[in-house]
Amino acid sequence: MVDPVLASRLQFALTTIVHIIFPVMSMGLAPFIVYFTYKDIRTGRPRYEQLRRFWTKIFAVSFVVGTVTGLVLEFEFGTNFAAFATMAGELFGGPLATEGMMAFMLEATFLGVFLFGRERVGDAVYFLSSVAVGLGTWLSAVWILIANSWMQTPRGFEVVVEDGRRVVHLTDPLAAYFTPRFTYMFVHMQNAAVLSVALFMAGVAAYYVFKHHVRGNDIDSVEFWEATLKIALGVVIITAPLQVLHGDAYARHVYETQPQKFAAMEAVWHTEAYVPEYIVAFPTSVDAIFEPGPKDLVGIAIPGMASWLASGGNASAVITGLEAIPAENPPVAIVFWAFRIMVALGFWFILLGFWGGVRWRRGELMEDDLLHKALMGTSLLGFVAVEVGWIVTEVGRQPWLIYGVLKTAAGVSQSLTGTEALFTLLGFAGGYALLLTLYVYVVRRIITQGPPTGDDLRNTAGGANAEVAADE
């Protein structure tokens, strides 16, 4: 007999893990595209037209696939989590509807102008269309995170009984839509998206720079890839430290509002002081994988750092342990290891940015083969960090669907059978695997084809300045 609750949770986790790749790509690319468009119009240099057109292709593909996979998530609230939708639909449905009407429509409408309007509208309108597209992607995040942050730290509502059912009524829209969690989630998510895309761009560019400068292969448009590498690395240098600094403030907020989740993130079972923060941790036994604790770990730990994070600067602060909290624990091992991966990757991104910055300053950026290999190996790790971050956020909230109000098991559709849930889970697993494969194939094809050159460039006036385009 299949548990419909478990199957529904696995299905939502699967579809979310796949879906989140595409909005992260869109949100992260948006500021790059606005910048490339501005520089293209302002300077008329072919290099910026190449950058704009090349990365816009990947943005457009990500937008289309993200739209398809995002719609499925909203349907799942009705098919698999109907009890939750019935209880909280009045409050929860508002942000989701606004996201579709405001953000998605803005993004979709102006994306048409941006993709096909370069020869049909003036420079000002064209630039504004790029801003509108970017604004649409970020507004989508605003409304989705308003909904999610309310589930993490619910405010501005009351629960009443209607026809024998508990129903959430909105009493204070401002309190409900702008909870204390929202700002932390939005800043952390948007910076993570830009950082992830910058790492991806740097990794792809490093591949071609490596082949040309280290291996000696003749690579078309190598100057384009050099420019991409410098721009992407510059963004990594800025955003990687910001992510860790903001993560510090975010962790403190989690400790104050969801102490159980924080204790799971650090595997603090007993209330204690001077709790260390493991930057890198390895289990000393198989049992420690499933029930991690400080005495069963080896790695790199900063003494008192977890206490410092929780208290906002006091390394001797006492952290309440899971055993002292009279409530059901989340799956500690999943939360702890996902948080460890996120933390380790965050510090690696800072180190990588510092390394690249030093090489750049010394004029060795294009010849450092080890750095190129590190960038290539890191190109997708930003997305991995986002995935494990969401696992910490969502699994750490368990067993609650609405924290302190509705448990996940009570939010699943009452009439849903285990067989039905398993059938749709397998169907989505197959469909999403196919969709992700097609996405990877298309993006890889765009990358291997490279940027437009010669006569394809608008700013070369029919190719007369093709050499300029290559030399910019």
Side-chain angles (χ1 to χ4, degrees):
M1 178 67 72
V2 179
D3 181 6
V5 175
L6 177 61
S8 295
R9 291 178 62 183
L10 289 175
Q11 179 179 315
F12 200 83
L14 169 70
T15 50
T16 303
I17 284 173
V18 176
H19 167 70
I20 201 170
I21 295 170
F22 312 113
V24 166
M25 184 66 87
S26 300
M27 293 185 299
L29 274 173
F32 284 100
I33 289 175
V34 171
Y35 173 72
F36 295 152
T37 304
Y38 171 77
K39 296 293 286 186
D40 177 21
I41 292 173
R42 184 65 182 266
T43 68
R45 292 180 178 176
R47 177 71 59 241
Y48 290 111
E49 183 185 354
Q50 285 183 306
L51 288 164
R52 172 180 60 80
R53 290 175 58 176
F54 178 82
W55 291 106
T56 296
K57 288 182 183 178
I58 296 177
F59 177 92
V61 174
S62 303
F63 171 77
V64 171
V65 182
T67 301
V68 173
T69 53
L71 288 174
V72 171
L73 292 177
E74 299 197 15
F75 287 137
E76 285 179 327
F77 289 118
T79 56
N80 294 68
F81 295 93
F84 162 73
T86 300
M87 179 181 183
E90 176 183 317
L91 193 151
F92 194 78
L96 297 186
T98 308
E99 188 263 340
M101 293 173 61
M102 177 196 289
F104 177 74
M105 292 301 293
L106 179 69
E107 187 178 2
T109 300
F110 283 95
L111 183 59
V113 178
F114 187 65
L115 289 176
F116 307 110
R118 187 68 186 98
E119 309 295 337
R120 297 175 175 81
V121 299
D123 287 348
V125 174
Y126 190 71
F127 173 68
L128 288 176
S129 70
S130 73
V131 174
V133 169
L135 183 63
T137 65
W138 282 46
L139 280 176
S140 285
V142 167
W143 291 105
I144 295 300
L145 293 179
I146 280 176
N148 190 278
S149 63
W150 178 78
M151 295 168 72
Q152 301 285 342
T153 51
R155 300 280 193 284
F157 71 99
E158 63 178 4
V159 178
V160 300
V161 178
E162 292 181 351
D163 299 328
R165 297 180 302 187
R166 298 172 70 226
V167 179
V168 169
H169 277 187
L170 180 65
T171 58
D172 185 344
L174 287 179
Y177 289 171
F178 298 99
T179 66
R181 179 61 54 86
F182 169 72
T183 304
Y184 292 100
M185 294 188 78
F186 181 75
V187 175
H188 208 59
M189 185 71 224
Q190 299 312 95
N191 194 74
V194 175
L195 173 59
S196 300
V197 167
L199 289 167
F200 175 71
M201 294 171 70
V204 172
Y207 170 75
Y208 288 103
V209 170
F210 173 80
K211 289 184 69 176
H212 182 81
H213 287 283
V214 179
R215 290 286 176 82
N217 296 339
D218 186 18
I219 301 295
D220 291 337
S221 303
V222 67
E223 293 85 359
F224 168 86
W225 295 114
E226 290 174 352
T228 300
L229 177 58
K230 289 180 178 178
I231 293 170
L233 184 60
V235 174
V236 171
I237 292 171
I238 296 170
T239 55
L242 288 177
Q243 192 69 0
V244 173
L245 290 173
H246 182 265
D248 165 42
Y250 191 177
R252 193 173 312 129
H253 170 73
V254 169
Y255 177 73
E256 293 168 353
T257 56
Q258 294 176 310
Q260 203 170 12
K261 177 190 287 189
F262 185 89
M265 288 160 52
E266 303 293 351
V268 180
W269 295 91
H270 310 290
T271 301
E272 55 187 312
Y274 294 105
V275 178
E277 176 71 35
Y278 278 87
I279 306 300
V280 178
F282 300 97
T284 56
S285 66
V286 175
D287 291 341
I289 297 175
F290 301 101
E291 191 170 325
K295 68 180 187 310
D296 303 316
L297 301 170
V298 295
I300 302 173
I302 303 176
M305 186 65 182
S307 293
W308 190 88
L309 288 174
S311 63
N314 180 10
S316 64
V318 174
I319 295 180
T320 305
L322 290 163
E323 292 182 351
I325 300 175
E328 185 178 349
N329 291 330
V332 176
I334 295 175
V335 178
F336 175 79
W337 291 115
F339 187 64
R340 294 279 81 70
I341 295 171
M342 186 180 69
V343 169
L345 288 176
F347 280 97
W348 166 242
F349 298 156
I350 292 177
L351 178 62
L352 191 61
F354 178 76
W355 179 6
V358 171
R359 290 300 192 188
W360 190 354
R361 184 177 176 80
R362 292 178 178 175
E364 301 167 346
L365 181 59
M366 303 303 161
E367 288 77 30
D368 190 336
D369 59 335
L370 189 58
L371 174 62
H372 299 163
K373 292 175 181 175
L375 288 170
M376 285 186 264
T378 308
S379 58
L380 298 178
L381 293 185
F383 294 91
V384 173
V386 171
E387 298 280 13
V388 293
W390 267 105
I391 289 172
V392 172
T393 300
E394 298 304 296
V395 177
R397 183 185 56 200
Q398 300 302 320
W400 299 100
L401 193 54
I402 306 171
Y403 194 73
V405 178
L406 177 70
K407 289 193 173 182
T408 303
V412 173
S413 305
Q414 299 298 309
S415 59
L416 185 68
T417 67
T419 303
E420 292 170 338
L422 178 63
F423 180 77
T424 56
L425 168 61
L426 295 176
F428 278 117
Y432 272 51
L434 177 62
L435 198 61
L436 189 58
T437 302
L438 288 173
Y439 175 77
V440 171
Y441 171 78
V442 172
V443 170
R444 183 177 183 277
R445 186 175 176 81
I446 292 172
I447 292 172
T448 54
Q449 286 178 340
T453 58
D455 291 343
D456 291 337
L457 291 176
R458 178 176 181 268
N459 287 331
T460 59
N465 299 319
E467 292 185 2
V468 176
D471 294 336
E472 275 292 330

